């Protein structure tokens, strides 16, 4: 069991740029911050969707793509330390405890999210709306694949 | 009263890249998303602080600076529409209602936050730790000035 936990930590740390400094964030704050990060990304995904379906504002789409990529590259793994598997007081989490036993799967998913987000930034910079739509869809797929596996409904 | 509201909306919209698409976010979601955005920025500010006080990880500081700038440039003004002055159900807000009457002041503060964040990105890219420390302090000052004026304690 201990081995699994260490593997998980290493798996997540590999993609998180985790440092000892970051590890000092309290468990309840880790839950708060990770929810905030995904929520902020979600808002920006929604903005791009709305632009694709309505009036297209290139500057807004670029800013939103950058925001999503910034979330994906922010080292979120550091916010999934042991002790954050369950809600803590008012900080509710909808993560499945399995996430903490599947470091390799999580690392792969987080890497896919970061890679897809970087592609979205490139597409947004190019201004090619069809490419942006495709790249936005791919980011959405990386969100969904993690939610399907690791988010409680 | 109507005039003041319109001025406020224009003041905030000027810095928010607001589009009609973004305006469709429900009031309670606006509160959720804006809190998430500032919370995500706060985590990244804390990471840079921890790096400056402990082991310095240049890649982490760059990513954190980018994340803060992405928040500052994400068009947060669109999340302060009329109807979001007070908590809505479970979505609590600590904003003072005065914010919604002082569009010009808010626009100035948001512009200062974005400018200071962009300077922080430049400093992080340069790798000059003294410059990063100074730029981080300036971003923190822009956070504090808005909290002092518009955040309930």
């Amino acid at each position: 069991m201990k081995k699994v936990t260490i593997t998980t930590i290493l798996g997540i740390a590999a993609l998180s740029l985790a440092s000892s400094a970051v590890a000092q964030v309290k468990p309840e704050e880790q839950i708060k911050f990770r929810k905030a990060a995904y929520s902020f990304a979600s808002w920006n995904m929604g903005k791009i969707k709305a632009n694709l379906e309505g009036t297209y504002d290139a500057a807004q789409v670029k800013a939103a793509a950058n925001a999503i990529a910034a979330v994906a590259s922010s080292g979120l793994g550091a916010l999934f330390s042991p002790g954050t598997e369950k809600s803590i007081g008012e900080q509710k989490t909808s993560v499945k405890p399995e996430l903490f036993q599947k470091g390799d799967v999580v690392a792969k998913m987080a890497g896919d999210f970061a890679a897809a987000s970087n592609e979205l930034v490139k597409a947004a910079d190019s201004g090619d709306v069809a490419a942006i739509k495709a790249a936005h869809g791919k980011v959405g797929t990386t969100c969904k694949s993690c939610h399907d596996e690791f988010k409680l409904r």
Side-chain angles (χ1 to χ4, degrees), chain A residues 11-152:
Chain A
I12 295 178
L15 59 100
S16 72
L17 308 173
S19 80
S20 56
V22 172
Q24 288 164 14
V25 176
K26 286 180 195 168
E28 57 270 38
E29 289 191 320
Q30 290 185 36
I31 295 174
K32 176 185 165 185
F33 287 143
R34 72 196 188 201
K35 286 165 65 183
Y38 294 121
S39 184
F40 178 62
S42 165
W43 174 51
N44 284 285
M45 284 294 285
K47 274 191 285 186
I48 296 177
K49 183 171 186 283
N51 271 277
L52 290 168
E53 292 171 353
T55 310
Y56 193 81
D57 179 328
Q60 187 178 79
V61 171
K62 279 189 198 183
N66 277 327
I68 296 159
V71 168
S73 302
S74 66
L76 294 171
L79 299 177
F80 290 87
S81 292
T84 66
E85 297 88 345
K86 294 180 182 174
S87 302
I88 302 174
E90 298 211 343
Q91 282 303 332
K92 308 293 178 197
T93 178
S94 55
V95 73
K96 289 185 188 170
E98 296 93 283
L99 177 139
F100 297 83
Q101 265 88 52
K102 294 189 177 176
D104 293 348
V105 177
V106 176
K108 168 77 170 58
M109 285 180 167
D112 289 347
F113 174 38
S117 302
N118 290 336
E119 288 303 313
L120 178 58
V121 170
K122 280 185 204 166
D125 285 344
S126 78
D128 177 343
V129 175
I132 294 162
K133 194 169 184 175
H136 179 264
K138 284 189 185 172
V139 174
T141 301
T142 67
C143 298
K144 187 175 182 303
S145 65
C146 192
H147 294 176
D148 285 350
E149 188 145 354
F150 294 123
K151 192 172 180 182
L152 294 166

